């Protein structure tokens, strides 16, 4: 029998996840169906109950339900607990297991696809919201020399440093305001939501140098203002499409026990932007 999955969000029509998972299923010979599911803004938990009752095996979760998904999970993987957010649910043995594959997806895109190891590197993380929080533990697992979190509201970045203190060496994760950024960095990740408004965080040019990898979690037809600025100052700029495909691959592997190849799928998704 075909195993059923879906992606839950509001809005959801724009989601590329069905296309990505269909490509993974075809490539690995897995018999799954994967669809978009619009949940009412006040009806996420009810939607999940309906999916469980209908025999679904799991779901991805996107905006604005990632925090609620963490709250309704009966069990959380450590990386989801620390992220405080869930993008992947598994319905198994009467449990709703919450996972977060966004951070591992970003790490896979940087290390494997972009070919930039994070061990010993200096990383600048712009933003301290949910997107930033989700990547810190997966980054730390790679053994970077330093992670500096810069945020418009410095107190939020300070809170993130405290949150991850038990998982980092003393001084490995620090926080600052944008005006105090002292570069250059090996890797700069834009985890602010500024690109959504066609804006960019006020990151100084000194954050970048020749050889810096500058990655925006957002993606689109054209480079974001952040990517354009970083490229102007010598960085190799990359958007968030690779992260999107890699977080899906990590979710697929968790559900099916098979890891799909991502390169061809990423190229296909790029060509349809
Ligand atoms: P997400 O879940 O996408 O991380 P969020 O939790 O609302 O969304 O966090 C948005 C992040 O983008 C925050 O770090 C926010 O900074 P503040 O904490 O100061 O609000 C940051 N952000 C949004 N717009 C920005 C802008 N124009 N310039 C700089 N930072 C911005």
């Amino acid at each position: 029998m075909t195993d059923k999955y879906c992606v839950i969000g509001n809005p959801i029509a724009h989601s590329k996840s069905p296309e990505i998972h269909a490509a993974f299923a075809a490539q690995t010979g897995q018999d799954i169906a994967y669809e978009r599911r619009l949940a009412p803004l006040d009806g996420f938990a009810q939607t999940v109950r309906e999916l469980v009752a209908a025999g679904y095996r799991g779901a991805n979760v996107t905006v604005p339900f990632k925090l609620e998904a963490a709250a309704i999970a009966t069990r959380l993987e450590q990386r989801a607990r620390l992220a405080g957010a869930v993008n992947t649910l598994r319905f198994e043995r009467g449990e709703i297991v919450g996972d977060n594959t966004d951070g591992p997806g970003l790490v896979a895109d940087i290390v494997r696809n972009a070919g930039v190891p994070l061990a010993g590197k200096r990383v600048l993380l712009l933003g301290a919201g949910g997107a930033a929080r989700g990547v810190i533990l997966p980054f730390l697992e790679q053994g970077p020399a330093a992670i500096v979190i810069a945020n418009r509201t410095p107190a939020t970045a300070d809170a993130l440093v405290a949150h991850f203190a038990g998982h980092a060496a003393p001084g490995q994760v620090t926080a600052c305001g944008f005006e105090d950024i002292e570069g250059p960095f090996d890797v700069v990740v834009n985890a602010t939501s500024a690109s959504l408004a066609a804006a960019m965080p006020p990151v100084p040019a000194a954050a970048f140098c020749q050889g810096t990898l500058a990655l925006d979690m957002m993606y689109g037809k054209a480079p974001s203002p952040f990517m354009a600025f970083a490229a102007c100052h010598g960085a190799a700029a990359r958007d968030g499409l690779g992260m999107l495909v890699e977080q899906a691959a990590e979710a697929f592997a968790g559900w099916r026990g098979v890891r799909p190849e991502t390169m061809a799928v990423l190229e296909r998704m790029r060509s349809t932007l």
Side-chain angles (χ1 to χ4, degrees), residues 36-269:
R36 295 179 185 85
R37 179 68 68 111
L38 179 73
L41 289 175
D42 62 353
F44 175 73
Q46 176 62 25
T47 299
V48 171
R49 279 194 292 274
E50 286 166 12
L51 295 172
V52 171
Y56 278 67
R57 302 292 298 273
N60 283 130
V61 180
T62 188
V63 178
F65 299 123
K66 290 186 184 184
L67 301 185
E68 218 179 324
I72 66 155
T74 59
R75 183 156 67 82
L76 286 176
E77 302 287 3
Q78 188 202 33
R79 59 196 188 183
R81 189 163 39 78
L82 276 165
V86 157
N87 78 330
T88 303
L89 295 169
R90 293 196 308 273
F91 307 139
E92 59 185 26
R93 293 182 282 279
E95 291 230 69
I96 299 174
V97 183
D99 195 2
N100 192 319
T101 68
D102 285 329
L106 177 63
V107 167
D109 187 53
I110 292 173
V111 175
R112 286 208 300 268
N113 299 345
V116 176
L118 288 165
K121 298 290 177 64
R122 276 169 51 77
V123 178
L124 174 62
L125 184 58
L126 306 173
R133 182 167 158 165
V135 303
I136 295 175
L137 183 69
F139 272 0
L140 282 170
E141 287 169 352
Q142 299 294 309
I147 299 177
V148 177
I149 307 168
N151 199 42
R152 191 170 56 181
T153 313
T156 320
D158 289 335
L160 271 194
V161 173
H163 185 72
F164 287 93
H167 298 268
Q172 192 181 16
V173 184
T174 56
C176 68
F178 285 106
E179 61 289 352
D180 298 320
I181 292 172
E182 283 180 22
F185 289 85
D186 300 298
V187 176
V188 180
V189 172
N190 182 17
T192 72
S193 47
S195 302
L196 283 176
M200 67 170 269
V203 58
F208 309 99
C209 65
Q210 210 70 38
T212 297
L213 174 67
L215 192 146
D216 199 325
M217 286 193 185
M218 305 289 166
Y219 60 84
K221 253 194 218 323
S224 66
F226 165 79
M227 289 169 65
F229 181 78
C232 252
H233 294 94
R238 194 171 175 83
D239 71 6
L241 195 64
M243 176 184 178
L244 176 78
V245 171
E246 294 296 342
Q247 65 75 30
E250 185 75 17
F252 189 93
W255 288 329
R256 310 303 301 177
V258 192
R259 186 165 290 277
E261 289 292 329
T262 51
M263 212 49 111
V265 180
L266 176 52
E267 278 165 21
R268 166 124 60 97
M269 299 310 296

